[in-house]
Amino acid sequence: MTSVKPDEVQRALLITSGELARTAGETFANLLAERPGPENGIAAVHCADGAADDAFLLAVTESLTAISPPDLAARLAQKSWALAAVDEIVLILALDMNTENSRAAAPLLDAVTAVVHQHLGLETASLLIWLAGAADETAVLDCLSTPVSVTRAIIPLGLRNEAGLRLPDDNALSAITAELLWALTATPLRTLPEQVFERQGTAFTGDTAVLTLGLAGWSWSPASAHAAFCRRWLESVLAHWLTTADETESAEQAAVWMQDNGLSPQTFAASALKEEETQPPDFLTAAWQFPWPWRLRRLFTEMRFRAETDTEACAKWGEYACFRMDEPLQQARAALRHQVQSDLDQQPVGGVARVTTWLDGALSECDRRIGQMLGEIETQAETDAMLAAERGRLITWLESWLAAWPALNWRAWIGAGWRFWRWPRLAWRCWQIVQSGRQLSCVLAQQAARRRQTIVDAAVRQAWGELEKITRRLQSQVEEIGEMLMHLAGEIAAESTRPDDDPHPTASGQLPIIPLPIPYRLYAKLIPDEQAEAIAAAATVGGLGQHVKRLDDAIIEPLRRLGGKRLAGVWALTAVDALAACAGSHDRVRQWWAQGQDAARPLWRLDEARLDETARTENGRLTFVCGANAHLAADLLSEQKGVVCSLPSGDRERLLILCVRTGLTVAAMVSEQYSVNSER
């Protein structure tokens, strides 16, 4: 925001008399307090019936004391005002046009001037404003014909302007008078007579100038615009965070990410069993190749014992394998959470929808893996059944054959050896036992491997099931982030109803200053890239990923503060910028300027026929444009008729148009109608 030189203000005392003037003075006091104005240096005193009695003069004295403290300059500086012309006080008389005031105006001015001289020892610069309401037309001639020795100007204001258009009532005139008092005290227009003479290239002779004035303008509220822009900024940020994403691409990326980060069956399988547990026992395969006949019974018994022992061991290992899945699941949970948080932090635009879709892809991968393993169970069951049947058949044979086999002692084998006719049968049976033993050894080895594979498959299947639960829980947390953001967006949207972006400004009530709508076109200049704003906003509040662990809707306040900083440029804009933004096009801006100039026509109906040739020309008309960057408005208004003068000020909220008519005579100002009314 660029620095602005503070406007200068001169101490001023406003004296009012009459109901119109009193209402205008009260409205003016409210303006000083609301805008805020230089109220420390301006005071107002009402004089009932124009009588300068002791009570009135005491009020004047007290008011002069109130606006003349030793630290007045410091007090004004606190409100960005600078004290000017400390050796002079401006006296403004605002009087209703009536017979009493026509006689009391000069004595009232002399009495107040004397109090200023006596109380402060200062010179005065005086200005007289006559107010002609609906009931005061008969007193116009008396008031304008009465000589009053003011040093600056006499300004009559009536209900009709010079174009013959009329204000609705006295309240409208009081409102315009209050705005005019603001312009003549709190803006560079405070030196209006000097400005008029300077612009016309003539010297100020000290004679009382008679001027007619008209005031109009536009106002806007940077505070309201800043608040509205902040709401739009918040809505935009939240909308970008909640925007949709490419569902197909996100789902495909999830499967690839899971594979790349080790979330696969092989990873879980590696943790199911210890290395020594993965090795099946030796079922005497080598011993069954060329066994001694008398050892066959022992080999069979030993082989069955090892099979039973392995079965019992695998039952315990199956329980242990489920517990061993905790560590890889914790790692998987941490990896998933980190990926989700990183994605939300690094790519917040559309992050919620994209991460939700990505997690959908992860869930689909989990379902696919689980379905694949469940599909293999039937095939594996068939294999197990086939091995069990083969094992039962072989065991039955071996038990039957070994039951008739010689016992493991020397007497049995000596007895068998003497019976040589039994040798061929024993040899054949021995061969059958050895072949069946070999086959049983292979079957038992396969069953041992299948037991281990079953343990691994069950553990992996359980792990994928838990991983699916973890993913669903994580997805639920991300969806809650989206719900929180949607709730916040709803609250922001409910804060205000946005007006149209391109409305035509209309007067509010009876004020001459037209309030402009929110100039939303300026928002695009302040925030050219809303997506970049959404990314920066997420980073500033710590990222969206933090809400995966714990939701915190308190981020709205940091966002408001950030939006306020990002839109601080609003405070550097002026009413000229707001008007151009509301109008939209250059032609429409010129049209509105022309309408403003027409609305500011001087509030006095003149008899042009009674003016000399010079006064009827454009040289007798001046248009002052006052406000920050007023020269830009003056450039536009210079395309219209008349002389346009710009008076830059520090007021960014208002742009005033003041039309002045000079070179006037009482005869021209008192029309035939006023003259007839006066004669009656």
Side-chain angles (χ1 to χ4, degrees):
M1 177 175 169
T2 58
S3 60
V4 178
K5 181 180 179 181
D7 282 337
E8 293 183 338
V9 62
Q10 188 175 356
R11 281 178 293 172
L13 179 63
L14 171 64
I15 306 298
T16 60
S17 179
E19 288 305 314
L20 262 176
R22 180 176 189 145
T23 303
E26 292 173 349
T27 305
F28 171 58
N30 292 333
L31 294 180
L32 288 174
E34 292 171 359
R35 288 190 170 171
E39 55 184 340
N40 300 101
I42 299 174
V45 180
H46 182 68
C47 180
D49 302 327
D53 53 20
D54 292 340
F56 167 74
L57 295 178
L58 177 60
V60 170
T61 301
E62 293 175 348
S63 297
L64 290 173
T65 302
I67 63 174
S68 304
D71 61 343
L72 178 60
R75 295 186 184 186
L76 291 172
Q78 291 178 353
K79 296 185 177 182
S80 300
W81 295 91
L83 181 62
V86 294
D87 57 348
E88 182 183 66
I89 286 184
V90 176
L91 295 181
I92 302 177
L93 273 65
L95 310 177
D96 287 9
M97 277 189 170
N98 54 49
T99 303
E100 292 79 7
N101 282 339
S102 68
R103 293 191 295 267
L108 183 61
L109 177 61
D110 293 340
V112 176
T113 301
V115 172
V116 174
H117 288 170
Q118 179 182 2
H119 191 62
L120 298 178
L122 297 178
E123 297 296 326
T124 60
S126 52
L127 179 70
L128 173 59
I129 300 176
W130 285 112
L131 300 178
D136 300 327
E137 293 181 346
T138 57
V140 169
L141 182 58
D142 292 338
C143 293
L144 292 180
S145 302
T146 300
V148 183
S149 300
V150 296
T151 60
R152 285 193 170 178
I154 296 176
I155 303 172
L157 298 176
L159 295 176
R160 294 179 299 175
N161 67 11
E162 65 177 14
L165 302 176
R166 188 180 180 94
L167 295 176
D169 52 31
D170 290 351
N171 290 333
L173 180 59
S174 295
I176 293 179
T177 303
E179 289 290 350
L180 181 60
L181 289 171
W182 169 272
L184 295 175
T185 56
T187 75
L189 289 168
R190 63 186 178 82
T191 58
L192 181 65
E194 292 87 338
Q195 294 283 351
V196 170
F197 287 114
E198 180 183 350
R199 304 296 179 178
Q200 289 182 330
T202 58
F204 180 56
T205 62
D207 297 334
T208 300
V210 180
L211 309 173
T212 58
L213 303 179
L215 181 70
W218 296 272
S219 68
W220 78 303
S221 172
S224 297
H226 186 260
F229 288 177
C230 285
R231 286 192 293 270
R232 173 171 281 194
W233 184 86
L234 283 171
E235 290 174 351
S236 173
V237 167
L238 294 174
H240 277 83
W241 289 352
L242 290 170
T243 190
T244 57
D246 187 344
E247 298 184 1
T248 303
E249 181 180 357
S250 297
E252 293 176 351
Q253 291 175 348
V256 175
W257 180 89
M258 295 180 77
Q259 186 66 35
D260 293 343
N261 286 268
L263 298 185
S264 63
Q266 293 77 12
T267 302
F268 293 115
S271 302
L273 293 174
K274 295 181 178 179
E275 183 176 358
E276 60 272 17
E277 295 170 350
T278 59
Q279 303 298 324
D282 180 15
F283 290 102
L284 307 176
T285 303
W288 278 101
Q289 296 301 316
F290 303 102
W292 294 104
W294 53 84
R295 295 194 59 193
L296 293 180
R297 191 189 300 273
R298 180 174 292 179
L299 288 177
F300 174 68
T301 302
E302 178 67 20
M303 187 168 55
R304 292 188 64 182
F305 174 76
R306 292 187 180 186
E308 292 173 358
T309 303
D310 186 63
T311 300
E312 294 175 358
C314 286
K316 295 180 180 180
W317 295 342
E319 297 177 1
Y320 299 156
C322 294
F323 293 115
R324 290 168 183 162
M325 292 296 102
D326 288 345
E327 182 176 352
L329 282 173
Q330 290 292 342
Q331 296 174 353
R333 179 185 290 107
L336 280 170
R337 186 184 296 275
H338 180 268
Q339 175 62 21
V340 167
Q341 291 178 329
S342 298
D343 198 350
L344 288 173
D345 289 342
Q346 296 173 7
Q347 297 178 339
V349 176
V352 173
R354 184 179 57 257
V355 171
T356 301
T357 303
W358 185 87
L359 290 172
D360 281 335
L363 287 173
S364 298
E365 180 66 10
C366 290
D367 291 339
R368 187 184 71 82
R369 294 288 190 180
I370 294 174
Q372 183 179 8
M373 287 184 288
L374 290 175
E376 294 174 353
I377 290 179
E378 184 176 354
T379 302
Q380 293 169 354
E382 293 177 356
T383 301
D384 291 339
M386 180 186 67
L387 290 175
E390 182 67 13
R391 173 182 174 175
R393 181 177 64 81
L394 292 173
I395 288 177
T396 301
W397 288 351
L398 287 172
E399 286 179 341
S400 173
W401 293 336
L402 290 175
W405 195 251
L408 186 59
N409 55 70
W410 60 273
R411 291 185 180 88
W413 282 99
I414 290 177
W418 284 104
R419 299 178 178 87
F420 58 86
W421 59 88
R422 297 181 58 188
W423 288 3
R425 181 179 178 84
L426 287 175
W428 168 247
R429 186 63 71 191
C430 181
W431 182 85
Q432 287 181 314
I433 292 173
V434 171
Q435 294 301 317
S436 296
R438 293 174 181 174
Q439 293 177 21
L440 180 59
S441 176
C442 292
V443 169
L444 292 178
Q446 293 179 38
Q447 283 188 316
R450 281 292 308 129
R451 279 192 292 272
R452 284 156 177 76
Q453 187 61 47
T454 299
I455 292 173
V456 172
D457 290 347
V460 171
R461 192 162 55 247
Q462 177 183 335
W464 277 98
E466 291 297 323
L467 184 60
E468 182 181 26
K469 293 179 181 178
I470 292 171
T471 306
R472 289 193 185 279
R473 190 177 304 113
L474 193 58
Q475 186 182 51
S476 176
Q477 292 171 333
V478 174
E479 289 174 347
E480 287 179 357
I481 295 176
E483 292 173 359
M484 178 191 72
L485 296 179
M486 290 180 66
H487 173 72
L488 294 177
E491 288 185 345
I492 298 301
E495 287 182 2
S496 67
T497 302
R498 182 180 303 168
D500 293 336
D501 283 347
D502 193 19
H504 191 289
T506 56
S508 174
Q510 297 169 342
L511 291 178
I513 309 301
I514 300 173
L516 294 170
I518 302 298
Y520 282 100
R521 285 191 177 88
L522 294 177
Y523 177 84
K525 296 182 179 180
L526 295 171
I527 306 295
D529 189 346
E530 291 187 332
Q531 180 170 321
E533 291 293 318
I535 296 173
T540 303
V541 299
L544 296 180
Q546 62 179 324
H547 299 282
V548 173
K549 294 182 178 179
R550 182 176 63 87
L551 285 178
D552 186 7
D553 57 2
I555 62 167
I556 196 65
E557 292 307 320
L559 281 176
R560 288 186 192 275
R561 291 193 293 269
L562 176 61
K565 293 179 181 179
R566 297 293 298 160
L567 291 162
V570 171
W571 304 105
L573 301 175
T574 67
V576 177
D577 301 317
L579 185 64
C582 290
S585 65
H586 189 64
D587 292 338
R588 198 170 183 186
V589 171
R590 288 200 302 268
Q591 178 186 356
W592 285 10
W593 285 126
Q595 293 172 356
Q597 193 174 22
D598 289 339
R601 284 179 177 272
L603 287 173
W604 198 266
R605 178 63 174 165
L606 296 174
D607 189 347
E608 299 285 345
R610 298 187 181 186
L611 293 174
D612 58 26
E613 186 65 26
T614 303
R616 286 198 298 269
T617 63
E618 296 301 329
N619 291 332
R621 301 176 186 270
L622 289 174
T623 299
F624 290 91
V625 181
C626 185
N629 291 341
H631 63 283
L632 300 177
D635 292 343
L636 291 171
L637 279 172
S638 63
E639 300 177 7
Q640 313 298 324
K641 59 183 180 180
V643 180
V644 179
C645 311
S646 63
L647 292 176
S649 74
D651 190 353
R652 298 181 179 276
E653 298 188 20
R654 276 161 293 279
L655 183 65
L656 302 180
I657 300 178
L658 187 72
C659 292
V660 183
R661 192 73 181 270
T662 64
L664 305 178
T665 63
V666 173
M669 299 181 67
V670 181
S671 64
E672 183 178 354
Q673 179 183 358
Y674 289 144
S675 297
V676 171
N677 291 337
S678 179
E679 291 173 1
R680 290 178 182 175

